[in-house]
Amino acid sequence: MKKAFDIIESTCVPLPLANVDTDQIIPARFLKATTRDESFFGENLFRDWRFRPDGTPVKDFVLNDPRYGGEILVAGRNFGSGSSREHAAWAIAGYGFRVVISSFFADIHRNNELNNFVLPVTVSEPFLEELFASIAADPSMKVRVDVPNQTVTNLATGRSEVFELNSYKKYCLMHALDDIDYLLSRKGSIEAYEKGHEVCWK
Amino acid sequence: MNTLFDKIWDSHVVESIKDGPQQIYIDRLYCHEVTSPQAFEGLRRRGISPLRPEKIFCMPDHNTPTHDQDKPIADPVGAKQVNTLAANAKEFSLNHFGMMDPRNGIIHVVGPERGLSLPGMTIVCGDSHTSTHGAVGAVAFGIGTSEVEMVLASQCILQQKPLSMRISVEGELKPGVTAKDIALFLMEKLTTGGATGYFVEYAGSAVRGLSMEGRLTLCNLSIEMGARGGFIAPDETTFAYLKGKEYAPKGEDWDKAVEYWKTLRSGDDAVFDREVVFDAADIEPMITYGTNPGMGTAITGRVPLLEEIPEEGRKSFLKSLDYMGFKPGDKLLGKPVDYVFLGACTNGRLEDFQAFASVVKGRRKALGITAWLVPGSWEVWKSVRAEGLDKVLAEAGFEIRQPGCSACLAMNDDKVPAGKYCVSTSNRNFEGRQGPGARTLLASPLTAAAAAVTGVITDPREL
């Protein structure tokens, strides 16, 4: 939580599936917590893909494959669709990922990641395909995510891309500040807005 | 430009941050028990209280059992979440409709039916189906828990303005085709990520012709195309629905409000970032066969062949069919069904019960079918009884349960067992959504009813 971003160089965990929804990231039965205990959510990340109903690990699921590890999750197109549950972002953060790379993120989940200091990096489809191929060829290959310069580099091939991140969010990530800190400083403007927009029916 | 979305959004901008998001004022925040506790915890950690408690309405719906609600919840973890919401509402002086309160129900059913969701408003909730409230002509969207905390703290949220998209469905719907079928059709055509980044305005004569309840169903499913939200410009149907509702304006205020609400429409010169038009006559009763809501087909259709799926999607497609126990090319009609679920914020309203009852009337629930009929709120429960539908349903072998989200996401006891097939009027057929290993087929209340009395996937028009 709230760890400032700069440059991250890490091996990757590949999940080359499209449309991974938040019900898969963290099934609903794990949403009953009333606290934000990230380690609990992290332990149950991708629970039903990772473990059988009796709790034994599913050997060929990537999180159980000792060849793969690191701070970067690489996922197929349309990652995080479905339910708005922020628990999905907590699970990803709790497991230890700081970056998720995909060619496309669902809106709400993308915001949830950003609000939990997990950086969603959107790359082109060819970049993603090449990255999956690089990881398959050598699981120890690394990716460099340079937040100040907004670049992501496949260090196996040297291919690099610029990713989108608005300068406000970038500032927040690099200084470990959240939106609420900002909003609490804007009380005057909120009250001024309310005065200018009074209506009888709200 | 000059879309209704622009008008509502822009009039709620408190400030725009340079090279960053906009600070948007929120008129209504709804909180349920699952996505709010950590937001309240955050307020306490910061030592602050909600800025505008009167604009915030809380109610438990996800964990509520659908029977014996007058007794304590058996599951201690679920009970704790429900009790935590009540305690948070009390601590911070927020409106709270607790279990057994006649106003309780699924938050997205209760908001519109109480007149809490009104045209021109900005509405948020820590729940992706908040898009439902767009049916009254509001900009309503789901948010994460950190964002719930933002709104609690400041009645504002920081957001990038989404792009605008208009989806028009023109012409007349065929008999037996409902709002649910329109939505499943749109998802099939546009895919589950097809509207990501957009806020959708639904338009066209087929949409205008929908009742308010049908509009709520359509807007509910906006998120399943990836859209942030979806709405329908308010019109006489909207005003007639809202008039007299508990929290709707009254008397002179009502007249003033309607006068303003009538201005809430996209200009004739409005320019959308994306525009698509469909012909209502192309829509058949729909059903899904896969594990995302975009994997649907006309009920008379079949599962696609592998070669009909783009190369990069084949791995996910086969994984999905494997989960469902289907093969490429399978016909759907006649496939056996084990469970039927009528309810959820998608189809848990009076009209949905009327539709279901119209099919099962004079018939019997098929042997081997377990059916859960769960009204979206106590108000719906009351109306179902007032219309005598409970008797029609009882004669056909169906019982009505108590309101809540229920088997839509199986956070309470209503879980579909592994490997069983459930024709469900809910919104998601994701793996494990209705219980670990459960196989969900999304459809309309008519199609669910047809399956309930025949025990197999059946075209409701054939009954």
Side-chain angles (χ1 to χ4, degrees):
Chain A
M1 273 300 279
K2 283 205 187 186
K3 192 172 161 195
F5 273 85
D6 188 27
I7 293 170
I8 293 175
E9 248 186 56
S10 170
T11 52
C12 303
V13 174
L15 190 64
L17 286 173
N19 301 316
V20 173
D21 60 75
T22 54
D23 272 78
Q24 307 317 313
I25 299 173
I26 186 94
R29 62 186 186 280
F30 298 109
L31 308 190
K32 296 199 178 191
T34 52
T35 59
R36 197 186 279 224
D37 175 4
E38 286 189 358
S39 60
F40 166 78
F41 296 113
E43 283 160 21
N44 293 301
L45 174 68
F46 295 118
R47 173 77 199 197
D48 293 341
W49 285 351
R50 202 169 141 198
F51 298 103
R52 290 192 189 82
D54 64 8
T56 55
V58 176
K59 264 210 187 116
D60 53 2
F61 184 63
V62 68
L63 293 190
N64 297 323
D65 188 331
R67 289 176 299 163
Y68 302 106
E71 294 183 309
I72 302 176
L73 175 67
V74 185
R77 196 179 161 70
N78 197 23
F79 184 76
S81 56
S83 158
S84 63
R85 60 188 68 165
E86 192 160 314
H87 313 64
W90 300 336
I92 291 168
Y95 186 83
F97 290 120
R98 297 193 69 207
V99 174
V100 180
I101 297 176
S102 177
S103 55
F104 195 83
F105 288 87
D107 276 337
I108 301 178
H109 181 70
R110 185 175 184 279
N111 278 349
N112 287 341
E113 286 193 6
L114 284 167
N115 284 329
N116 287 281
F117 289 77
V118 171
L119 176 65
V121 172
T122 307
V123 296
S124 69
E125 209 65 57
F127 185 98
L128 186 68
E129 288 308 313
E130 186 186 273
L131 180 53
F132 279 132
S134 298
I135 301 169
D138 176 13
S140 69
M141 66 78 65
K142 286 188 174 175
V143 165
R144 179 184 167 93
V145 178
D146 179 335
V147 177
N149 289 305
Q150 291 176 235
T151 56
V152 52
T153 309
N154 175 336
L155 295 175
T157 62
R159 185 172 185 144
S160 192
E161 272 189 7
V162 172
F163 62 87
E164 197 270 322
L165 181 65
N166 73 57
S167 48
Y168 164 81
K169 234 359 190 210
K170 181 166 151 184
Y171 182 86
C172 289
L173 289 177
M174 291 182 63
H175 294 85
L177 292 172
D178 69 22
D179 288 348
I180 298 171
D181 299 326
Y182 172 82
L183 282 169
L184 289 174
S185 73
R186 308 309 299 162
K187 203 167 172 197
S189 66
I190 297 167
E191 284 171 353
Y193 173 88
E194 286 176 330
K195 283 206 181 73
H197 291 80
E198 273 172 26
V199 285
C200 58
W201 59 86
K202 282 184 191 167
Chain B
M1 293 307 287
N2 199 22
T3 67
L4 175 53
F5 177 69
D6 291 324
K7 285 182 193 176
I8 299 176
W9 183 276
D10 294 348
S11 71
H12 286 82
V13 173
V14 176
E15 284 181 322
S16 296
I17 301 173
K18 194 172 172 294
D19 300 323
Q22 291 180 305
Q23 181 183 345
I24 300 297
Y25 193 82
I26 297 301
D27 296 316
R28 180 77 68 225
L29 167 67
Y30 295 113
C31 293
H32 63 63
E33 78 277 22
V34 179
T35 55
S36 68
Q38 292 87 354
F40 288 110
E41 182 195 44
L43 290 188
R44 276 189 288 270
R45 209 175 45 229
R46 291 172 201 264
I48 55 175
S49 295
L51 182 68
R52 297 288 174 251
E54 69 279 8
K55 293 179 188 286
I56 301 165
F57 285 74
C58 308
M59 65 203 80
D61 54 10
H62 283 58
N63 283 283
T64 47
T66 52
H67 55 84
D68 298 315
Q69 286 191 4
D70 52 330
K71 301 191 182 73
I73 300 177
D75 167 21
V77 199
K80 186 174 178 207
Q81 242 178 11
V82 170
N83 296 338
T84 302
L85 180 66
N88 283 327
K90 194 168 174 213
E91 177 181 344
F92 293 118
S93 309
L94 309 178
N95 303 283
H96 180 249
F97 303 162
M99 246 169 54
M100 293 306 291
D101 184 314
R103 298 166 298 181
N104 180 261
I106 306 173
I107 224 159
H108 309 312
V109 174
V110 172
E113 94 188 347
R114 293 276 149 201
L116 284 165
S117 301
L118 296 170
M121 275 186 168
T122 48
I123 300 171
V124 295
C125 173
D127 193 292
S128 58
H129 293 112
T130 308
S131 59
T132 314
H133 307 261
V136 302
V139 164
F141 53 97
I143 58 177
T145 299
S146 295
E147 293 169 316
V148 172
E149 190 182 338
M150 264 181 231
V151 182
L152 286 169
S154 68
Q155 206 56 39
C156 290
I157 190 168
L158 297 180
Q159 293 283 299
Q160 295 280 14
K161 186 176 179 180
L163 299 169
S164 65
M165 175 170 179
R166 180 159 61 188
I167 300 179
S168 303
V169 185
E170 299 286 359
E172 211 171 309
L173 292 172
K174 290 191 214 168
V177 176
T178 68
K180 180 66 165 283
D181 301 301
I182 301 179
L184 289 171
F185 174 86
L186 294 175
M187 288 179 238
E188 191 235 326
K189 295 294 172 212
L190 299 168
T191 77
T192 51
T196 301
Y198 292 92
F199 222 96
V200 173
E201 175 169 353
Y202 296 101
S205 52
V207 172
R208 289 259 145 258
L210 290 176
S211 68
M212 205 57 209
E213 301 206 342
R215 294 177 184 191
L216 289 160
T217 300
L218 179 60
C219 291
N220 173 269
L221 292 158
S222 304
I223 183 72
E224 311 308 337
M225 301 181 286
R228 206 53 208 283
F231 63 89
I232 297 168
D235 59 11
E236 292 305 326
T237 302
T238 323
F239 309 145
Y241 172 87
L242 289 172
K243 193 164 190 182
K245 298 257 188 251
E246 189 178 348
Y247 288 90
K250 308 275 178 335
E252 221 173 278
D253 287 350
W254 169 262
D255 297 335
K256 273 191 219 156
V258 171
E259 199 181 315
Y260 167 65
W261 293 343
K262 283 183 174 167
T263 68
L264 294 175
R265 49 184 295 274
S266 289
D268 297 331
D269 59 345
V271 180
F272 293 81
D273 296 300
R274 192 173 165 206
E275 186 139 23
V276 286
V277 183
F278 294 99
D279 185 346
D282 292 339
I283 309 176
E284 302 284 332
M286 299 282 295
I287 193 160
T288 64
Y289 56 83
T291 57
N292 74 55
M295 299 175 82
T297 169
I299 194 158
T300 50
R302 58 164 173 76
V303 177
L305 300 169
L306 192 59
E307 50 269 34
E308 291 164 345
I309 302 294
E311 182 111 32
E312 67 276 11
R314 287 182 191 169
K315 194 173 170 191
S316 308
F317 173 72
L318 289 174
K319 183 177 189 302
S320 176
L321 290 193
D322 181 51
Y323 180 88
M324 292 300 292
F326 292 156
K327 292 196 177 56
D330 275 2
K331 278 193 81 82
L332 288 154
L333 286 176
K335 287 224 180 256
V337 173
D338 309 291
Y339 283 71
V340 168
F341 172 52
L342 172 70
C345 54
T346 314
N347 283 120
R349 300 180 190 82
L350 177 61
E351 228 172 70
D352 303 313
F353 279 77
Q354 289 167 334
F356 193 96
S358 74
V359 174
V360 304
K361 188 173 183 179
R363 297 190 164 88
R364 286 293 298 175
K365 179 162 75 78
L367 271 176
I369 287 278
T370 302
W372 291 319
L373 276 54
V374 184
S377 68
W378 281 113
E379 186 68 28
V380 173
W381 184 91
K382 227 169 69 184
S383 312
V384 164
R385 272 165 201 261
E387 290 210 355
L389 295 175
D390 55 327
K391 293 200 183 66
V392 174
L393 293 166
E395 276 163 25
F398 298 91
E399 61 155 336
I400 297 167
R401 299 172 79 91
Q402 294 177 338
C405 299
S406 179
C408 176
L409 82 171
M411 278 192 77
N412 65 357
D413 292 336
D414 306 340
K415 291 178 174 59
V416 176
K420 298 290 182 193
Y421 290 94
C422 179
V423 176
S424 176
T425 67
S426 55
N427 40 56
R428 288 186 175 137
N429 49 358
F430 297 152
E431 285 183 31
R433 174 84 178 177
Q434 295 193 292
R439 292 161 162 169
T440 305
L441 307 142
L442 299 175
S444 75
L446 293 174
T447 301
V453 292
T454 59
V456 296
I457 296 176
T458 301
D459 188 336
R461 296 169 298 190
E462 301 295 319
L463 292 183

